Amino acid sequence: MSMSQDEMKQAVARAAIEHVPAGIIGVGTGSTANYFIDELAHIKGRIDGAVASSVATAERLKKHGIRVIDLNEAGEMEVYVDGADEITRHMAMIKGGGGALTREKIVAACAKKFVCIVDQTKLVDVLGKFPLPIEVIPMARSYVARQLVKLGGNPVLRAGFTTDNGNVILDVHGLNILDPVALETELNQIVGVVTNGLFARRGADVCLMGTPEGVQTLTR
Ligand SMILES: O=C[C@H](O)[C@H](O)[C@H](O)COP(=O)(O)O
């Protein structure tokens, strides 16, 4: 049976519902996370509410009548569910294709378990074919771009885009990321960088991957 990418995203979103505990859940951003929010609406009576990783996610949650809770009120959560742009079998990810990486990293940090939901096109051996998004304070844009060139990347400003935090995104092309933990750490040292899209120091704990044969579960 042939299955579209959207159908695979829907299938993993549905499968992720099994990982939703009672209480407050952290919710990611993007097309796969949107399918998850739609599934969450069916079981909203079982949860106390959700912490949103973006304005767009908060709006979708509210539209479904799901209570949106401020992260500072939520405390530590059991689970965070989100998509990814690329993921390895070691559970390191590139995120931020939708520009929501900073709030995603913050909400993920407050959850005990990161459940990543992807279709099989996102699974890679080496991260970096998908340009690595980096959120940057606007005045530091040129400085940060020069530092990224020194690291072997080709940064491109995401034209006409401003993050929920009022910053810009540099999408870094041409990186072959053999040591994601080391690169994530190094990028964090560049002044003007708010957040980089490598989620490796705190990667996913579980990956639900949609395939035409069904949903596969990958763990570390
Ligand atoms: O900023 C966006 C997020 O990191 C998304 O999780 C990521 O871009 C994947 O999005 P999608 O599920 O639409 O492929």
Side-chain angles (χ1 to χ4, degrees):
M1 187 185 74
S2 81
M3 212 175 180
S4 71
Q5 194 176 5
D6 273 332
E7 285 169 328
M8 290 189 277
K9 288 179 183 181
Q10 255 170 320
V12 287
R14 219 169 293 130
I17 291 296
E18 282 172 32
H19 292 261
V20 177
I24 301 170
I25 181 156
V27 181
T29 298
S31 58
T32 319
N34 279 345
Y35 283 125
F36 174 69
I37 295 168
D38 298 347
E39 294 295 330
L40 201 55
H42 300 309
I43 59 136
K44 64 183 175 192
R46 272 171 35 197
I47 59 168
D48 292 332
V51 173
S53 60
S54 63
V55 172
T57 287
E59 280 168 6
R60 198 175 185 99
L61 287 163
K62 283 185 207 153
K63 203 183 80 193
H64 281 304
I66 299 167
R67 186 171 156 228
V68 175
I69 296 170
D70 187 282
L71 181 62
N72 291 309
E73 311 301 321
E76 193 179 40
M77 290 166 286
E78 290 298 322
V79 173
Y80 176 71
V81 178
D82 198 357
D85 299 303
E86 286 183 347
I87 185 164
T88 69
R89 288 189 186 276
H90 301 291
M91 301 287 131
M93 297 169 279
I94 285 184
K95 291 184 47 53
L101 62 163
T102 297
R103 294 189 187 195
E104 290 176 341
K105 217 178 244 197
I106 295 169
V107 182
C110 297
K112 287 189 206 156
K113 187 161 106 177
F114 189 132
V115 178
C116 180
I117 48 175
V118 292
D119 64 82
Q120 62 177 8
T121 64
K122 309 287 185 66
L123 185 68
V124 298
D125 289 328
V126 178
L127 298 171
K129 194 177 258 181
F130 189 94
L132 177 66
I134 302 193
E135 180 164 353
V136 176
I137 300 282
M139 72 171 287
R141 186 190 74 210
S142 298
Y143 169 75
V144 172
R146 289 195 294 276
Q147 306 314 306
L148 295 169
V149 169
K150 284 182 198 162
L151 291 176
N154 172 25
V156 177
L157 178 68
R158 199 177 293 184
F161 183 84
T162 305
T163 69
D164 286 348
N165 315 304
N167 298 314
V168 295
I169 298 275
L170 293 173
D171 290 305
V172 190
H173 296 248
L175 292 173
N176 194 31
I177 306 171
L178 298 173
D179 188 342
V181 172
L183 185 61
E184 182 179 2
T185 307
E186 191 170 7
L187 292 171
N188 284 343
Q189 305 307 315
I190 302 174
V191 287
V193 167
V194 177
T195 306
N196 73 79
L198 279 170
F199 286 55
R201 291 175 354 141
R202 199 269 193 262
D205 298 293
V206 180
C207 175
L208 303 177
M209 186 178 71
T211 77
E213 290 75 42
V215 175
Q216 286 179 19
T217 303
L218 311 177
T219 48
R220 280 165 207 268

